[in-house]
Amino acid sequence: MPTNGINKALKLQFGLVNYESRYLTAEAFGFKVNASGVSMKKKQIWTLEQDEQDGQVVFLRSHLGRYLASNKDGKITCGAEKPDNDCRFLIVPQSDGRWALQSEPYLRYFGGSADYLSCFAQVIGEQELWAVHLALHPQASLLSVARKRYAHLSASDGEISVDSNIPWGVDSLVTLVYLDGKYCLKTCDSRFLSNDGKLVKENSNNTSFTLELKSGKLAFKDCGGKYLTPVGPTGTLRSGRCSKPGKDELFDLEESHPQVVFQAANKRYVSVKQGVSISANQDVETDMETFQMEIDKESKRSMFRTNGGSYWTLVTHGEIQSTATEVKINTMFDIEWRGQRVALKASNGKYVCTKKNGQLSAVSDTVGDDELFLMKLINRPMLILRGETGFVCHHKNSNTLNANRSVYDIFSLIFNDGAYNIKSVNGKFWYVSSGDLVCSDGEKPEDFFLEFLEHGRVAIKSSDGKYLRGDQGGTLMGDGTTVDASSLWEY
């Protein structure tokens, strides 16, 4: 079996919101800080780092890579390139989920408003309290630190079970929903986890949890002050008895890679059911026909991992097998995006084709029917998009979409023969208007194409071949002619 924690634990990044609902902001000019931000953009995002010797001490790093610091007089700066003694803070969590930040060397508390920030309060008042708004993409895999197992929806038992060795399939996707400073856990079938372990359709006090951090791990505290923990043999996720988080109550969020199924020209699914050779010979989609697509950050090439933890690899005579246990040049494939189908090129420069017996081999110089595959993304039934300036969200007063918000809307992604339809919260569909605006009130579905071009990023192409991008004003447009930072989306 692959080791647990197979994917990277996400670095904790967040916005800090003061008592006036303003975000702590790091300005580029003079490394000044203020609490004036009205929403969470780049300048409002902070990364939490821990002291290696003392796990309780944290450092707060700004988007400029500089560290928040307080001197003995309570003066706040954010210019240090490396964390020194004045940069050491302690997190003091409050019962309502907010944090107080205490200077570790001087034992004073950090707070204030607008340009008047200091770290001189001897006691915690309203001005010294900060709400924590996570900045990472809210869809992830949830790993129990104690059990070393992943959470997944167990539909038959109507619960979230924490007993998977690997986060496989759509059931392992957890969506964090941020509401009024608290977090809800949403399953892939759009239900919320209640503190008694049941899954419910509606949001309530019992589905709202306060996020706490302990040694870089997350704990979820319910409205009664108890913490989520895996219970019993299947690890039913529910509130336990503890009112202090121990190892059993701690979780890691890990990035959720795209998982896909391939259908070959013979209309059968590519599978590892028959052993090590990869063949298109199955009529149903199971875990054996599901592959995790991992995109190499440098080369932008794709690797395909099986649910047994091995990778597709090119072997002698061009055959594709699932025998590789580590990433090498032979496990990397280039994907060519051809509208509703994809072609795969192996490291020998040849295209992967489906032989008469269903076996996959990289032996073709050109692309015909046998070299084309239908590729279907299976683990994003709910789509949340984050671009370079923020999340995609309905515009308040029109049918257009914003691409620069600190809150997100959840859209439905519906597969349609190699293309995708995107459905809005109101049940209407996305389309591109004659003025190149992406609108969200279509009566009938319009096709979009997903191109997975970079690690953790997707480009979305409309049916007329243009890419969706966020423009300078923060509006989602459908007029991109090339792929750049404005047209790549975390998904």
Side-chain angles (χ1 to χ4, degrees):
M1 284 311 291
T3 55
N4 282 296
I6 57 170
N7 301 327
K8 252 189 23 244
L10 292 161
K11 258 213 165 105
L12 285 175
Q13 293 186 315
F14 44 76
L16 288 170
V17 190
N18 77 351
Y19 69 107
E20 295 176 331
S21 300
R22 297 297 170 124
Y23 286 81
L24 185 65
T25 303
E27 301 291 358
F29 181 72
F31 301 113
K32 289 187 165 56
V33 277
N34 60 54
S36 306
V38 290
S39 67
M40 185 165 60
K41 306 273 175 61
K42 196 159 135 192
K43 292 201 270 193
Q44 286 77 28
I45 292 177
W46 297 82
T47 303
L48 192 77
E49 294 181 3
Q50 270 172 305
D51 183 60
E52 280 165 19
Q53 273 71 49
D54 181 351
Q56 293 309 304
V57 171
V58 298
F59 306 109
L60 290 167
R61 185 161 58 87
S62 76
H63 70 104
L64 300 163
R66 304 299 177 107
Y67 291 87
L68 193 72
S70 162
N71 69 10
K72 65 180 193 310
D73 302 319
K75 185 175 186 300
I76 290 291
T77 54
C78 194
E81 288 185 39
K82 288 202 168 70
D84 57 28
N85 195 48
D86 282 357
C87 303
R88 297 167 68 85
F89 287 91
L90 301 168
I91 294 171
V92 185
Q94 307 298 298
S95 59
D96 65 358
R98 289 187 290 178
W99 290 356
L101 291 167
Q102 186 180 32
S103 160
E104 192 235 14
Y106 310 116
L107 302 179
R108 300 295 180 101
Y109 295 98
F110 170 53
S113 68
D115 291 325
Y116 303 99
L117 297 176
S118 70
C119 189
F120 208 59
Q122 289 177 302
V123 292
I124 300 168
E126 189 64 13
Q127 294 207 7
E128 285 72 46
L129 291 175
W130 300 89
V132 184
H133 187 173
L134 279 188
L136 44 88
H137 192 278
Q139 291 177 308
S141 306
L142 192 66
L143 175 70
S144 160
V145 172
R147 294 203 179 199
K148 296 190 164 53
R149 293 290 181 274
Y150 290 90
H152 67 99
L153 168 66
S154 173
S156 53
D157 301 326
E159 63 178 38
I160 294 179
S161 302
V162 186
D163 61 357
S164 283
N165 285 317
I166 48 174
W168 209 253
V170 63
D171 295 346
S172 296
L173 187 72
V174 175
T175 302
L176 288 179
V177 182
Y178 179 73
L179 284 169
D180 304 324
K182 302 272 176 84
Y183 284 86
C184 311
L185 295 174
K186 201 174 195 181
T187 54
C188 62
D189 62 359
S190 292
R191 289 188 290 173
F192 294 100
L193 178 69
S194 181
N195 57 358
D196 61 3
K198 292 191 172 68
L199 295 172
V200 295
K201 283 279 183 208
E202 296 300 320
N203 226 325
S204 72
N205 211 17
N206 293 335
T207 62
S208 296
F209 299 90
T210 298
L211 218 52
E212 286 192 7
L213 287 185
K214 192 178 175 191
S215 330
K217 311 293 180 194
L218 295 176
F220 296 90
K221 186 164 77 171
D222 75 6
C223 54
K226 304 287 195 246
Y227 291 85
L228 284 183
T229 186
V231 176
T234 61
T236 304
L237 193 59
R238 54 169 302 175
S239 290
R241 300 197 182 94
C242 293
S243 45
K244 255 202 163 131
K247 194 176 180 186
D248 288 337
E249 287 74 37
L250 296 181
F251 297 90
D252 255 333
L253 285 176
E254 289 187 3
E255 61 181 327
S256 167
H257 289 280
Q259 291 177 347
V260 296
V261 295
F262 290 100
Q263 195 178 27
N266 63 8
K267 296 285 183 254
R268 305 190 85 180
Y269 293 109
V270 173
S271 178
V272 286
K273 203 168 196 170
Q274 56 288 322
V276 297
S277 68
I278 310 265
S279 292
N281 61 5
Q282 295 300 313
D283 296 320
V284 289
E285 300 170 30
T286 71
D287 286 352
M288 296 278 191
E289 291 71 48
T290 301
F291 302 99
Q292 179 159 289
M293 185 160 79
E294 299 175 7
I295 300 178
D296 179 61
K297 284 183 174 161
E298 269 66 59
S299 68
K300 313 275 197 285
R301 288 172 147 175
S302 295
M303 287 81 70
F304 299 102
R305 186 199 282 259
T306 72
N307 76 325
S310 59
Y311 289 96
W312 291 20
T313 186
L314 176 70
V315 295
T316 46
H317 310 304
E319 199 186 326
I320 307 296
Q321 293 189 349
S322 63
T323 49
T325 51
E326 52 192 65
V327 171
K328 294 202 165 113
I329 190 76
N330 282 3
T331 65
M332 294 191 178
F333 295 83
D334 284 308
I335 301 180
E336 289 185 6
W337 306 95
R338 295 174 173 246
Q340 289 171 280
R341 299 293 183 268
V342 298
L344 302 174
K345 194 186 262 188
S347 56
N348 61 359
K350 305 279 189 185
Y351 288 100
V352 176
C353 77
T354 310
K355 289 185 158 173
K356 291 278 179 279
N357 62 359
Q359 206 161 2
L360 298 198
S361 287
V363 291
S364 302
D365 293 316
T366 55
V367 176
D369 284 351
D370 290 339
E371 289 76 29
L372 288 173
F373 295 88
L374 179 78
M375 185 174 93
K376 176 166 93 167
L377 176 69
I378 61 141
N379 64 336
R380 287 296 183 280
M382 297 186 290
L383 188 67
I384 294 171
L385 295 173
R386 183 165 86 155
E388 60 172 348
T389 58
F391 288 103
V392 173
C393 179
H394 284 108
H395 190 282
K396 278 196 184 70
N397 309 315
S398 78
N399 64 347
T400 61
L401 293 153
N402 291 119
N404 63 349
R405 299 289 300 280
S406 57
V407 292
Y408 44 85
D409 281 327
I410 298 176
F411 303 96
S412 302
L413 193 64
I414 300 154
F415 183 72
N416 178 26
D417 188 33
Y420 296 84
N421 309 136
I422 304 172
K423 197 165 157 186
S424 281
V425 187
N426 56 13
K428 303 284 178 71
F429 292 92
W430 284 24
Y431 63 95
V432 180
S433 74
S434 55
D436 291 331
L437 289 158
V438 181
C439 302
S440 60
D441 60 345
E443 292 297 333
K444 56 181 200 292
E446 187 168 301
D447 283 350
F448 291 91
F449 302 94
L450 301 188
E451 299 182 358
F452 302 92
L453 300 177
E454 290 189 10
H455 181 96
R457 303 279 189 286
V458 68
I460 303 173
K461 204 182 230 182
S462 66
S463 47
D464 66 358
K466 299 281 181 61
Y467 290 100
L468 303 196
R469 66 176 188 94
D471 74 0
Q472 290 295 310
T475 301
L476 188 63
M477 303 294 292
D479 62 355
T481 50
T482 55
V483 175
D484 59 21
S486 70
S487 51
L488 284 170
W489 307 92
E490 283 180 67
Y491 58 95

